Amino acid sequence: MSSTLFGPDDAPDEAALPEPPAPEGPGLFGDAPPLAPVAPQAVASPAPPPVAAVPAATPYRVLARKYRPSNFEELIGQDALVRTLRNAFAQNRVAHAFMLTGVRGVGKTTTARIIARALNCIGPDGKGGPTPEPCGVCPECLAILADRHPDVQELDAASNNGIDDVRELRERLRYRPAQGRFKVIILDEVHMMSTAAFNALLKTLEEPPAQVKFMLATTELRKVPATILSRCQTFHLKRVPQAELRAHFTRIAGLEAVTIEPEALAMLARAADGSVRDGLSLLDQAIALGGPDNAVTTEAVRDMLGLADRAMVLELMEALMAGDTATALGLLERAHERGADPAVVLQDLLELTHTLTRLRSVPSLKDDPSLTE
Ligand SMILES: [Zn+2]
């Protein structure tokens, strides 16, 4: 064994073989996937030596994860949902099965987890009951926050979509909660389940064990059988409005001590298309463009998004409406040279057409704050 310490040639020896898995450990279990934003942090850290230790010691967490809401208060853009859920908890009338639907990244599983905490929270003194304001400090709240509560299970229905998976789940539900007040089963992308699996699940939804709550989430509600839907309380999570996304991103940029030009934040909010998670991934990328001074320009974000200049899109539209093909092609060529994606330019033109049409048919929309230009 000691020989491996001295001779590098000994590395492939039998004795050394069991060791390699160790260095891989942190990669497998670490919080942060090896995303692009990690690199600039690592590059930036050697510059200010005193600070360098902090980013090195703390594994980088993507913004969407770092700023994931942990209570209803922090959930943005879903006021109706939050109000209904708060009332349900206040009146102690929490349904046993929820269906959360909406486009990706609007907070479906985040909401499910907040409900799981609200159901299981025992309060700082350990005596509290289910509450619309989970304390965030009791052992139940902490365990759910850290994804290690034995009674709160999140399953991806895309990979657990067979009847055997549902049977196994039903078997587990026969037992009382191990630690918490309720067993909470979060089934994400539930529309991916097979018909047989849905039928098996239906039986459980019809006669749910008293201490079990189901949180079903889907991006495609129409693929979920009506028999399932009729046994769930359904919530439609809305696309988060641009203004709210922009405010949210501005707040986070501030917390991350990053300076981003307001127009750049507006672009990110627009590109997020109502999805908080998509927007935060873009913000991660944008912050990576900032360099050591942590300042992100509109120009950099525009290039990153492959966006054409707004002014250029207007010019292009004018040329098109005037039938000036030469100018239109010239503008497109220049945008292309600058890295704009032609498909995105087309998308921008479509949006502009839509906006202009709306303004024309409903002139009062001029005062709508979401129409920035
Ligand atoms: Zn708590």
Side-chain angles (χ1 to χ4, degrees), residues 117 120-124 131 134-142:
R117 275 195 290 281
N120 280 309
C121 180
I122 54 173
T131 166
C135 70
V137 296
C138 72
E140 309 295 324
C141 281
L142 289 176

Side-chain angles (χ1 to χ4, degrees), residues 129-280:
T131 166
E133 316 289 347
C135 70
V137 296
C138 72
E140 309 295 324
C141 281
L142 289 176
I144 299 171
L145 272 171
D147 285 347
R148 54 174 172 74
H149 196 292
D151 299 312
V152 178
Q153 281 189 306
E154 184 172 337
L155 297 168
D156 181 5
S159 46
N160 299 276
N161 60 357
I163 185 158
D164 289 340
D165 295 304
V166 177
R167 283 198 182 123
E168 197 190 313
L169 181 64
R170 284 171 56 187
E171 192 58 31
R172 265 182 279 158
L173 294 182
R174 290 173 48 211
Y175 303 100
R176 294 169 54 81
Q179 173 185 331
R181 200 176 284 125
F182 290 99
K183 283 195 180 199
V184 180
I185 308 299
I186 302 170
L187 274 174
D188 197 13
E189 299 299 344
V190 74
H191 63 274
M192 302 287 280
M193 293 206 330
S194 67
T195 308
F198 268 132
N199 285 336
L201 181 64
L202 196 55
K203 284 191 189 144
T204 309
L205 286 179
E206 276 169 342
E207 298 161 21
Q211 286 164 309
V212 174
K213 301 280 184 188
F214 279 96
M215 308 284 141
L216 312 182
T218 181
T219 45
E220 302 188 52
L221 192 63
R222 66 197 164 78
K223 290 188 183 167
V224 179
T227 43
I228 296 281
L229 288 180
S230 67
R231 283 164 181 85
C232 299
Q233 183 173 7
T234 301
F235 287 106
H236 298 268
L237 279 76
K238 297 187 304 176
R239 282 179 198 271
V240 180
Q242 268 179 37
E244 280 187 58
L245 284 176
R246 199 169 50 208
H248 188 52
F249 299 164
T250 305
R251 205 159 46 234
I252 288 178
L255 290 169
E256 292 287 308
V258 176
T259 315
I260 305 188
E261 291 176 1
E263 177 58 21
L265 284 166
M267 281 178 184
L268 292 172
R270 207 151 42 215
D273 197 19
S275 164
V276 185
R277 188 172 59 224
D278 285 6
L280 287 178

